[in-house]
Amino acid sequence: MTTPIRLQACGFTHADGTCALQPTDLSVEAGETLALLGPSGCGKTTLLRLVAGLARPDPGGCVLFDGRDVTDLPVERRNVGMVFQSYALFPNLDVAGNVGYGLKIRRVPPGERAARVARMLAMMRIQELAHRRVDQLSGGQKQRVALARALAVEPAVLLLDEPLTALDAKLREQLRVELAGLLRSLRITAIFVTHDQGEALALGDRVAVMRAGRIEQVGSPHEIYHRPRTRFVASFVGILNLLEGEVADGLFRLPGGSLPASGVAPGPAVLACRPEQLRLDPSGTLAGRIAAAFFLGDRTRLVVEGAAAQPIVVETVAAAPRPGEVVRLAAEPGCPWPLPPA
Amino acid sequence: MRPHFDPGFLAGLVFASLVAFFLVGPVILSVLAGVTANYQRGILESGITLAWLGRVFELYAPTIALSLGIALATLVATLLLGVPVAYALAKAPGRLARLAEEALVMPVAIPGIATGLALILAWGAVGEFRTHWTFILVGHVLFTLPFMVRSTLAVILAAKLPALEEAARSLGAGFLARFVTIVLPNASPGILAGSLMVVTLSLGEFNMTLLLHTPFTMTLPVGLADSYASMRLEIGSAYTLVFLVLLIPLLVALQWAADRATGAPRRP
Ligand SMILES: Nc1ncnc2c1ncn2[C@@H]1O[C@H](COP(=O)(O)OP(=O)(O)OP(=O)(O)O)[C@@H](O)[C@H]1O
Ligand SMILES: [Mg+2]
């Protein structure tokens, strides 16, 4: 069962008058995974709680599941699966008790309940933990239990609040891959909150970028990265080089040379480019000096000074020049591009 | 390897023993007097007897029974009142709830005698109530309720119950279901500590009960005072022994429960 979600003019104001979410419209297709991305405090959890029914939108707001108005339905009756930022596992129950809690509440007979719990544990590959106390679990195991608990009741929608944030980098990578596979195979409508842009781009069928209580842009990961609609989205997702110079005769003139600039109005301008849109090229038209080189394993990130007013970040997979060396840069077609409005 | 000898440790041990003896010594003397056949002639000369203990039970069995009954009734009342109040306080936002939490220490600061007098002023003229054991019950509930509330509240706040409840709600649990399956089990260490505290306090409360009691409604400590005032010294001392036998296990359990309630991660 897949359920599309729609929010209409959903805002949320705290009792003390703090507006955590401006009135917002958003729709999530059936079976789609939407990543909610934004800096801390921008209202991601608030939006998720409105969808869950843990909070009520300000008057005028409306939440629709499958076209049905559920604004007045409390969370108990919305049939949502939720994975909380802190997992919120029940310490008085063991792993199997946690996973089976929702089934017990729904009065699923014990035999069937045990079978479903076993199936969930197997799916998350934590069968051997069934009778473990939850305070004896590692972070990754807790995360799996929380996910199994949320999925056991076969919810209409799955809501995940920073499910991977509490884990260390290696485990995060591994669980991200697992979660992506799980969401794809379950075909469940899911909203996934994160402040990690890599996670959002990797897991979301679409990404909604939030800032200060509003959604700045919703789009496919590709759109968000390559066609950011606002300056905030452009700089929050990925690394962005901002180049200050002057456009004249189809060239963008910079302190260290120039880059092609077709279709940009002449005059002073601030243009942008991604690190991977620039390459080291002996016949390049822009020169600068390597200020620092960071070896990232599969590639090297270079910081080039002198080419533009601000240092430029470039990445290369080839043998990297050493700091102090002078290099020349060339740009991909369509780069640098004009910045979207602030 | 030679055992390590630390003179500082030895001095500390001696000092601690002296303090302990200073504190416990009189109690030991009193307890010994309770099993001495004739206190005037001394325990060595007259010998040990359990006769005085027998006399205590003969004379004060109703008092002991009533005291245990009141303690249990107090426990039931404070559980029924205190746990919901603690839960409500933990959930209530705002300054009023914080103020109420602060106000919980008030009854402890007011002398028992004052509370007793207030109760008599308010209820003294209401017919049978004055001479009924429930009159004392009201006083004890008033006195012990804050302990139950505070002990439960502390555990509820530490257990992050609001987050657990939201998780239970998202899984479909209505109020009653999650109160029984999530709130109570996770608050149980605090409820247990509070319960032991309430029973101990009720059994031991003297100040207020002395005012509230009538000859037909005496509690354990009031009976103790009565026995010292009107019986042989040996009987009063034997009574002390009974009192200690009832209270010491409670105090030990209380200590254990309090450790469990406030202790770091629970062990299996
Ligand atoms: N109880 C509250 N009273 C007033 N303001 C609050 C309250 N809780 C949260 N806020 C504010 O609401 C805004 C949105 O909070 P929210 O929890 O949705 O942010 P978030 O995007 O999930 O952040 P994070 O990434 O840190 O979890 C924040 O600015 C926060 O300060
Ligand atoms: Mg959050």
Side-chain angles (χ1 to χ4, degrees):
Chain A
M1 179 177 58
T2 50
T3 306
I5 304 169
R6 258 182 71 187
L7 301 187
Q8 289 174 342
C10 279
F12 186 79
T13 311
H14 282 284
D16 65 356
T18 317
C19 181
L21 188 69
Q22 307 281 344
T24 297
D25 294 311
L26 179 68
S27 54
V28 189
E29 310 293 320
E32 178 186 50
T33 299
L34 178 86
L36 271 184
L37 173 67
S40 187
C42 69
K44 306 181 295 290
T45 298
T46 305
L47 197 148
L48 204 67
R49 290 172 65 85
L50 293 183
V51 175
L54 284 166
R56 236 191 111 82
D58 293 339
C62 186
V63 181
L64 302 159
F65 279 12
D66 214 354
R68 201 164 61 97
D69 188 341
V70 294
T71 316
D72 293 322
L73 222 53
V75 57
E76 295 92 300
R77 307 205 352 245
R78 276 196 200 182
N79 196 26
V80 296
M82 201 155 177
V83 174
F84 292 82
Q85 207 162 347
S86 56
Y87 306 136
L89 299 179
F90 306 130
N92 57 311
L93 301 173
D94 63 7
V95 167
N98 268 274
V99 175
Y101 185 84
L103 301 175
K104 194 168 177 182
I105 291 294
R106 285 167 171 71
R107 299 186 200 289
V108 173
E112 193 189 330
R113 197 196 313 156
R116 279 214 349 229
V117 168
R119 220 168 46 232
M120 295 314 301
L121 294 180
M123 184 170 88
M124 303 308 298
R125 288 181 302 164
I126 45 174
Q127 300 97 309
E128 71 284 0
L129 300 178
H131 301 294
R132 193 74 77 77
R133 299 169 53 91
V134 296
D135 54 13
Q136 294 171 340
L137 298 175
S138 72
Q141 292 168 336
K142 281 185 187 160
Q143 203 271 341
R144 286 163 203 258
V145 175
L147 201 53
R149 182 177 72 175
L151 288 172
V153 296
E154 292 173 358
V157 305
L158 181 64
L159 306 172
L160 306 123
D161 196 353
E162 312 220 12
L164 305 179
T165 304
L167 308 173
D168 59 64
K170 181 89 185 149
L171 191 59
R172 207 147 124 185
E173 196 74 30
Q174 183 194 338
L175 282 174
R176 180 199 288 183
V177 173
E178 275 182 34
L179 196 58
L182 190 70
L183 291 173
R184 202 154 304 133
S185 68
L186 290 174
R187 277 282 127 214
I188 187 174
T189 312
I191 301 182
F192 178 98
V193 165
T194 177
H195 61 249
D196 179 328
Q197 38 123 349
E199 225 162 84
L201 298 180
L203 277 171
D205 293 321
R206 284 191 307 149
V207 177
V209 182
M210 292 187 69
R211 175 200 193 182
R214 53 175 105 239
I215 294 180
E216 294 248 317
Q217 184 174 358
V218 188
S220 70
H222 190 273
E223 279 170 348
I224 295 285
Y225 188 77
H226 290 292
R227 289 198 294 284
R229 268 214 300 271
T230 69
R231 209 166 283 199
F232 173 78
V233 173
S235 55
F236 190 74
V237 179
I239 296 175
L240 193 70
N241 290 306
L242 293 183
L243 312 173
E244 265 175 68
E246 181 138 354
V247 177
D249 311 326
L251 282 180
F252 183 43
R253 297 186 189 287
L254 291 158
S258 66
L259 290 171
S262 48
V264 183
V270 178
L271 301 185
C273 65
R274 299 285 186 193
E276 69 277 9
Q277 292 176 319
L278 293 171
R279 61 178 192 279
L280 299 179
D281 184 340
S283 60
T285 50
L286 186 63
R289 203 172 41 79
I290 302 290
F294 303 100
F295 181 58
L296 302 178
D298 53 341
R299 63 214 140 93
T300 304
R301 180 171 296 166
L302 303 168
V303 180
V304 180
E305 271 180 352
Q310 305 287 326
I312 298 178
V313 177
V314 186
E315 288 182 351
T316 178
V317 290
R322 302 187 171 282
E325 276 182 52
V326 171
V327 293
R328 295 192 151 267
L329 302 173
E332 305 279 310
C335 165
W337 30 275
L339 266 182
Chain B
M1 208 175 78
R2 232 155 45 91
H4 180 68
F5 179 76
D6 181 354
F9 172 74
L10 194 69
L13 193 67
V14 168
F15 183 68
S17 308
L18 280 175
V19 171
F21 185 74
F22 179 73
L23 292 173
V24 183
V27 179
I28 294 175
L29 282 182
S30 178
V31 166
L32 281 179
V35 291
T36 303
N38 186 325
Y39 187 71
Q40 300 298 325
R41 291 173 38 219
I43 192 165
L44 295 178
E45 198 179 317
S46 65
I48 290 176
T49 176
L50 293 180
W52 302 125
L53 277 173
R55 285 287 287 158
V56 169
F57 282 111
E58 239 167 71
L59 289 165
Y60 292 101
T63 300
I64 294 169
L66 179 69
S67 213
L68 290 173
I70 288 180
L72 280 181
T74 306
L75 174 60
V76 171
T78 50
L79 280 175
L80 291 179
L81 292 171
V83 174
V85 165
Y87 176 75
L89 278 179
K91 291 225 105 172
R95 202 172 297 162
L96 218 62
R98 304 292 85 80
L99 213 65
E101 277 169 34
E102 298 302 320
L104 282 175
V105 296
M106 283 285 284
V108 188
I110 299 172
I113 294 192
T115 316
L117 274 173
L119 277 177
I120 290 172
L121 280 177
W123 298 103
V126 183
E128 304 283 275
F129 188 42
R130 176 70 184 88
T131 54
H132 198 259
W133 65 272
T134 48
F135 190 52
I136 295 178
L137 175 66
V138 169
H140 281 201
V141 170
L142 215 64
F143 174 57
T144 56
L145 189 60
F147 292 92
M148 177 64 89
V149 174
R150 281 205 299 168
S151 162
T152 308
L153 183 64
V155 171
I156 288 183
L157 290 178
K160 304 209 173 71
L161 265 187
L164 297 183
E165 269 196 273
E166 286 195 341
R169 288 182 68 187
S170 78
L171 292 163
F175 174 76
L176 203 64
R178 60 179 192 268
F179 193 77
V180 173
T181 58
I182 302 297
V183 177
L184 287 184
N186 286 299
S188 65
I191 297 175
L192 179 65
S195 300
L196 288 165
M197 178 78 105
V198 163
V199 171
T200 310
L201 285 173
S202 171
L203 283 180
E205 209 296 322
F206 178 70
N207 277 344
M208 179 203 302
T209 318
L210 185 67
L211 268 181
L212 299 184
H213 91 284
T214 63
F216 314 102
T217 54
M218 247 194 273
T219 63
L220 214 49
V222 176
L224 182 62
D226 179 79
S227 70
Y228 272 112
S230 54
M231 306 282 158
R232 287 183 67 122
L233 179 66
E234 290 89 338
I235 294 186
S237 299
Y239 198 125
T240 304
L241 184 55
V242 173
F243 194 80
L244 290 180
V245 165
L246 281 173
L247 276 196
I248 284 178
L250 272 172
L251 286 172
V252 171
L254 182 62
Q255 192 60 47
W256 167 82
D259 282 352
R260 220 177 69 116
T262 56
R266 281 186 278 154
R267 280 166 291 277

